[in-house]
């Protein structure tokens, strides 16, 4: 499946905003909600994720069709990485170790901000690197 890269940047901008609020407030509930957003994107696809639905309904109609699409697998993998960091942060906050919660949230924020501001998806690049380095299966 192919996705609109502008939708990924929109989702990353919303994610960045949410993660900044988490860092300012220390709200594990808000971080847990962001983790759910990530997990929905991984499990049900980016078009069915909450930020993807907002983008499709409110933003894309005003922008028109994209010039190009990109494969869904790399940004979907990136959502999984984001979910891992968000869940780590939630656990840190719940266990009363705010340094773990803040550090995990900050890592997720850096990745989301790079995508939102510059279109550079760290998780996508990690996905591509893993694919290049993984041994290839040979048909019998």
């Amino acid at each position: 499946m192919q996705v609109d890269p502008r939708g990924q940047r929109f989702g990353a901008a919303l994610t960045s905003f949410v993660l900044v609020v988490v860092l300012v407030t220390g709200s594990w509930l808000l971080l847990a909600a962001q983790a759910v957003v990530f997990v929905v994107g991984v499990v049900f696809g980016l078009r069915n994720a909450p930020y993807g639905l907002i983008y499709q309904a409110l933003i894309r109609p005003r922008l028109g069709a994209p010039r190009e699409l990109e494969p869904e697998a790399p940004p979907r993998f990136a959502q999984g990485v984001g979910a891992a960091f968000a869940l780590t942060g939630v656990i840190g906050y719940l266990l009363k170790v705010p340094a773990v919660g803040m550090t995990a949230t900050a890592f997720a924020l850096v990745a989301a901000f790079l995508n939102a501001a510059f279109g550079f998806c760290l998780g996508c690049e990690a996905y591509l690197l893993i694919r290049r380095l993984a041994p290839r299966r040979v048909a019998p």
Side-chain angles (χ1 to χ4, degrees), residues 21-82:
V21 173
V22 169
L23 286 174
V24 169
T25 65
S27 172
W28 70 268
L29 281 171
L30 186 57
L31 186 56
Q34 180 60 54
V36 169
V37 169
F38 285 138
V39 170
V40 170
V42 172
V43 174
F44 298 107
L46 301 176
R47 291 180 184 197
N48 299 313
Y51 298 161
L53 294 172
I54 294 169
Y55 175 76
Q56 288 176 55
L58 301 177
I59 307 300
R60 187 169 179 185
R62 290 169 174 72
L63 298 177
R67 285 186 293 213
E68 59 187 38
L69 298 173
E70 66 182 23
E72 183 183 34
R76 200 166 176 175
F77 175 83
Q79 294 283 300
V81 174

Side-chain angles (χ1 to χ4, degrees), residues 78-140:
Q79 294 283 300
V81 174
F85 277 104
L87 291 171
T88 300
V90 168
I91 291 167
Y93 283 120
L94 287 175
L95 294 177
K96 306 293 186 206
V97 187
V100 171
M102 290 171 44
T103 301
T105 303
F107 278 126
L109 173 59
V110 167
F113 179 77
L114 285 172
N115 195 356
F118 305 109
F120 183 77
C121 176
L122 281 174
C124 300
E125 294 300 320
Y127 173 86
L128 296 173
L129 181 62
I130 291 167
R131 291 289 303 223
R132 279 188 216 115
L133 297 176
R136 302 269 188 243
R137 293 180 107 186
V138 179

